[in-house]
Amino acid sequence: MDYVRTARAKGLREKTVIYKHAFRNALIPITGYVVGSIVAIFGGSIIIETLFSWKGVGKLLIDSLNQQDYTVALAMQMFYILLALAANLITDLCYCLVDPRIKLE
């Protein structure tokens, strides 16, 4: 990329070029993927806990739906929604730390 070539042309050490310029720009998609996978782990817990009959929040959600206990099902769904919103907020805050062009205002 041009910014890496420019940093090398300015005479910066290779370690500085990699960690300050190349690595920070490579962290942007990795940050979104890692934080997004946290939500996927909780979503996958519904399937895994149901298949193996493990006790957990996923099994609780499925059992409450089977028993038509909609208050518990809505509470669990709200938990998953708040988890997704918190993950999106953490992603945005991490983007601000990684990329200096993104400002939090």
Side-chain angles (χ1 to χ4, degrees):
M1 299 298 287
D2 291 336
Y3 50 86
V4 174
R5 190 176 318 123
T6 304
R8 285 186 178 135
K10 289 187 335 190
L12 295 175
R13 293 184 298 152
E14 190 67 23
K15 186 177 182 180
T16 306
V17 170
I18 290 173
Y19 286 122
K20 291 286 184 177
H21 296 281
F23 186 65
R24 288 185 77 158
N25 285 314
L27 275 178
I28 293 171
I30 292 171
T31 302
Y33 177 76
V34 168
V35 176
S37 65
I38 293 171
V39 176
I41 288 172
F42 277 94
S45 72
I46 297 171
I47 297 168
I48 297 298
E49 290 172 5
T50 304
L51 283 175
F52 295 111
S53 296
W54 292 343
K55 292 183 181 180
V57 293
K59 181 100 167 86
L60 176 66
L61 177 61
I62 296 299
D63 288 344
S64 65
L65 287 172
N66 286 336
Q67 297 170 2
Q68 296 180 351
D69 188 6
Y70 295 121
T71 56
V72 174
L74 286 173
M76 294 304 301
Q77 191 65 30
M78 187 62 105
F79 168 72
Y80 285 117
I81 289 169
L82 290 175
L83 182 70
L85 288 174
N88 285 334
L89 178 66
I90 290 170
T91 303
D92 290 343
L93 293 175
C94 288
Y95 282 161
C96 291
L97 293 175
V98 171
D99 194 0
R101 295 174 296 181
I102 299 173
K103 301 291 182 203
L104 184 65
E105 292 180 7

